[in-house]
Amino acid sequence: MATAADTAAMRRAIALAARGLGFTSPNPVVGCVIADASGEITGIGYHQRAGGPHAEVHALAAAGASARGGTAYVTLEPCDHTGRTGPCTRALIEAGVDRVVYAVGDPTPQATGGADTLRAAGVRVESGLLAAEAAAGNAAWLTSVRLRRPHVRWKYAATLDGRIAARDRTSRWITSPEARADVHRLRAEADAVVVGSGTLAADDPHLAVRGVDGARQPLRVVLDTHAVIRPTARVLDGAAPTLIAVGERADTGSLPGVDTVRLPPGDGGGLSVQALLDELYARGVRAVLLEGGPTLAGAFVAAGAVDEIVGYLAPVLLGAGPAALGDAGISTIGEAFRLRTTETVRIGPDLRITAVPDTPDTPGTPETAVPVIAPKER
């Protein structure tokens, strides 16, 4: 039975894990807290970058000799294999930890089994504490492991009546500077940012991260079936890597030196969403931020390839203009794409609503919605 101290320590480990978002891909984010035999926290750590020491190693180094006889709280089952780093099970055993509490089991065949190894060495092991919260923080990695494709987070900004632009297609700026700054945080957490040629033609977005200290620039991906992108497009400026996905017969003569990939057509026209995700996964992309317009968003929804939605709603009414979501292959209310709200936060004058598909197998889906909170309280 978990105590209040156990829960507090694991919640701190989950917060630590979040510091690694955007830096550890294709590995998971992991946090670890070490408490000594008396229950006092003496070491903390998190997985800071792919290929670097794991969370347990950082936390054990901080705790030193006080880890002996103590408890390790870890957001993910300690690994039991040697990759670019040694197994965390060995590090915990050698440090003399008496008890390990982890939130989520490791589903990867090469790393699982850590709990059994620890138990065989006489370490008490408990699992499942705050599992939903820990899984939600690791949703991108868990999705990529289970589905062998990147996790897709669809972000859009709209008026309160669901319009992303006015009748004349003007759209800058619907949401506030605070909301736009928050989008850069989402970009910083992603491995790739995806838009379509329509968004590129209308807005000429840059898609690079700005205003986030130490951020790693994501891959900028444009779906451009006929390779009509202008050579002066801002995504070709070299500030971040760029990939242009084109049709199988597209003439790419106007894109010398640009990284391109040819994809087959999708079922509803355009390019195949699944083929794109397969290509990105092969390139090590585990977290995609979809920033395209309604047509591209509709294609991803129709393909069953949207894992999370982040909508920024501004207190503005337009009454006409394009909606946030285009044709998604839904013809009747019984086919509606049902969602479960996981967070509602005020961002400046706007609301940021986060939701996930309302299915029982969604990684880390909490059972209840989170109440509206101010950013400074998070």
Side-chain angles (χ1 to χ4, degrees):
M1 183 72 177
T3 66
D6 290 334
T7 301
M10 184 61 78
R11 188 154 281 132
R12 186 170 181 183
I14 292 170
L16 286 165
R19 296 183 186 181
L21 287 170
F23 298 98
T24 64
S25 187
N27 294 341
V29 293
V30 183
C32 179
V33 169
I34 303 292
D36 66 14
S38 69
E40 181 181 353
I41 293 176
T42 57
I44 61 173
Y46 68 98
H47 186 36
Q48 300 176 12
R49 60 179 179 82
H54 289 187
E56 295 94 322
V57 174
H58 283 297
L60 288 169
S66 69
R68 185 163 299 277
T71 298
Y73 300 90
V74 196
T75 56
L76 185 68
E77 180 183 7
C79 66
D80 197 37
H81 80 295
T82 299
R84 286 186 282 183
T85 61
C88 291
T89 50
R90 184 196 306 161
L92 291 163
I93 292 167
E94 291 178 351
V97 169
D98 179 67
R99 176 174 172 246
V100 171
V101 181
Y102 68 87
V104 178
D106 193 323
T108 58
Q110 69 271 27
T112 193
D116 291 338
T117 296
L118 291 167
R119 289 190 182 100
V123 178
R124 291 183 294 142
V125 180
E126 301 166 25
S127 63
L129 179 60
L130 299 185
E133 290 183 31
N138 234 344
W141 181 77
L142 289 170
T143 297
S144 70
V145 168
R146 294 169 180 170
L147 302 181
R148 305 293 293 176
R149 68 157 174 80
H151 176 275
V152 177
R153 172 189 271 169
W154 169 39
K155 161 264 162 186
Y156 70 91
T159 62
L160 203 57
D161 56 343
R163 306 295 176 176
I164 62 169
R167 189 195 302 270
D168 64 358
R169 300 287 170 162
T170 55
S171 61
R172 294 189 177 182
W173 293 102
I174 286 176
T175 53
S176 64
E178 294 91 338
R180 299 197 297 273
D182 195 61
V183 171
H184 285 277
R185 176 189 60 82
L186 298 186
R187 288 180 182 174
E189 293 179 1
D191 299 325
V193 179
V194 177
V195 300
S197 57
T199 296
L200 200 74
D203 298 334
D204 192 22
H206 192 230
L207 301 182
V209 178
R210 299 188 302 275
V212 180
D213 292 340
R216 180 191 61 173
Q217 291 294 346
L219 176 68
R220 300 178 291 185
V221 182
V222 180
L223 273 69
D224 186 10
T225 305
H226 303 293
V228 296
I229 183 173
R230 299 186 300 271
T232 57
R234 294 201 297 160
V235 294
L236 300 178
D237 65 357
T242 301
L243 173 67
I244 309 298
V246 302
E248 293 173 319
R249 298 183 179 181
D251 181 1
T252 57
S254 62
L255 298 172
V258 177
D259 189 8
T260 60
V261 60
R262 295 186 182 275
L263 300 179
D267 294 336
L271 300 177
S272 167
V273 170
Q274 187 58 56
L276 172 69
L277 294 177
D278 288 344
E279 173 67 24
L280 294 179
Y281 185 87
R283 290 170 175 252
V285 171
R286 298 295 180 264
V288 164
L289 179 63
L290 178 63
E291 290 198 42
T295 301
L296 190 58
F300 269 75
V301 170
V306 172
D307 304 294
E308 184 180 45
I309 298 94
V310 180
Y312 294 87
L313 298 183
V316 176
L317 298 176
L318 285 174
L325 183 65
D327 184 4
I330 299 169
S331 58
T332 181
I333 192 67
E335 300 172 353
F337 186 27
R338 301 287 178 179
L339 305 172
R340 181 183 301 164
T341 301
T342 59
E343 187 181 54
T344 307
V345 178
R346 181 172 293 170
I347 304 288
D350 307 317
L351 285 181
R352 184 186 71 208
I353 299 177
T354 304
V356 296
D358 191 12
T359 57
D361 58 347
T362 302
T365 302
E367 293 301 319
T368 56
V370 177
V372 175
I373 57 176
K376 66 181 180 180
E377 297 173 327
R378 299 185 69 220

